[in-house]
C-alpha cells in the first residue's frame, strides 16, 4: 500500500504524519510506503518547520531530512490512499481529481478516529509548541487506528 499525507504547505502536519506512519511501518515491518505533499507551492524543497521537527524528535521520530513538495495530479496514480489534514486540503485535492476512482482515494485523516465526522487537524503554524504536541497526538492516534485496520 502507498499512502500520501497532505496539508497546506507540507512543513507541519503532513511531514509529522509521514514521520509517524514511516516509524510505525518500520516497527511493524509492514509492506507500505509513505510520502507527503502540500496543496500550495509555498515551501517546495524546504525542511519541515523547526517545531514539527522538534515534536517528532521528542517522540523518537526524525523528519529533518524531509523536504516540501506540492501535490500533483500524478499523485493519484502513485498512491492508494491520500490522507488530507483539513477540509480545505480535501477540496483542493478533489479539484484535481480526474475520476471517481481518484476522489475515492482522498480521506480526512481524523476520520480514522472520528468516523464520518470530517474533523480537521488544526494547522499549528501560527501557534506555539503546544499546538504541535496536540497535532502530533491526533495524528498518532489516527495513524495507529489506520495501521490496526491494515493488520
Amino acid at each position: 500500500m502507498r499512502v500520501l499525507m497532505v496539508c497546506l504547505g507540507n512543513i507541519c502536519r503532513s511531514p509529522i504524519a509521514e514521520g509517524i506512519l514511516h516509524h510505525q511501518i518500520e516497527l511493524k515491518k509492514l509492506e507500505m510506503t509513505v510520502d507527503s505533499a502540500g496543496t500550495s507551492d509555498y515551501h517546495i524543497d524546504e525542511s519541515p518547520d523547526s517545531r514539527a521537527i522538534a515534536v517528532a524528535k521528542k517522540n523518537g521520530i526524525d523528519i529533518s531530512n524531509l523536504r516540501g513538495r506540492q501535490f500533483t495530479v500524478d499523485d493519484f496514480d502513485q498512491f492508494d490512499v491520500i490522507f488530507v489534514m483539513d477540509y480545505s486540503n480535501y477540496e483542493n485535492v478533489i479539484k484535481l481529481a480526474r475520476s471517481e476512482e481518484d476522489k475515492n482515494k482522498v480521506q480526512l485523516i481524523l476520520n480514522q478516529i472520528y468516523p464520518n465526522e470530517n474533523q480537521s487537524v488544526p494547522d499549528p503554524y501560527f501557534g506555539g509548541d503546544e499546538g504541535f504536541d496536540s497535532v502530533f497526538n491526533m495524528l498518532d492516534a489516527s495513524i495507529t487506528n489506520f495501521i490496526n485496520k491494515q493488520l
Side-chain angles (χ1 to χ4, degrees), residues 122-146:
D123 190 341
Y125 185 76
F126 292 106
D129 293 346
E130 65 282 348
F132 283 83
D133 287 323
S134 176
V135 163
F136 185 94
N137 292 334
M138 287 177 200
L139 292 172
D140 190 45
S142 295
I143 291 165
T144 297
N145 277 10
F146 172 69

Side-chain angles (χ1 to χ4, degrees), residues 4 9 15 21 27 34 36 39-40 49 51 58 64 71 102 114-115 125 134 136 143 147:
L4 182 65
L21 182 53
L27 287 176
V34 61
S36 62
T39 58
S40 75
D49 184 285
R51 296 164 295 174
K58 182 168 72 174
S64 62
F71 181 87
D102 285 355
Y114 305 113
Y125 185 76
S134 176
F136 185 94
I143 291 165
I147 289 289

Side-chain angles (χ1 to χ4, degrees), residues 6 10 31 33 48 57 64 118 130:
V6 179
N10 194 212
E31 291 293 321
T33 59
K57 185 175 184 177
S64 62
N118 298 330
E130 65 282 348

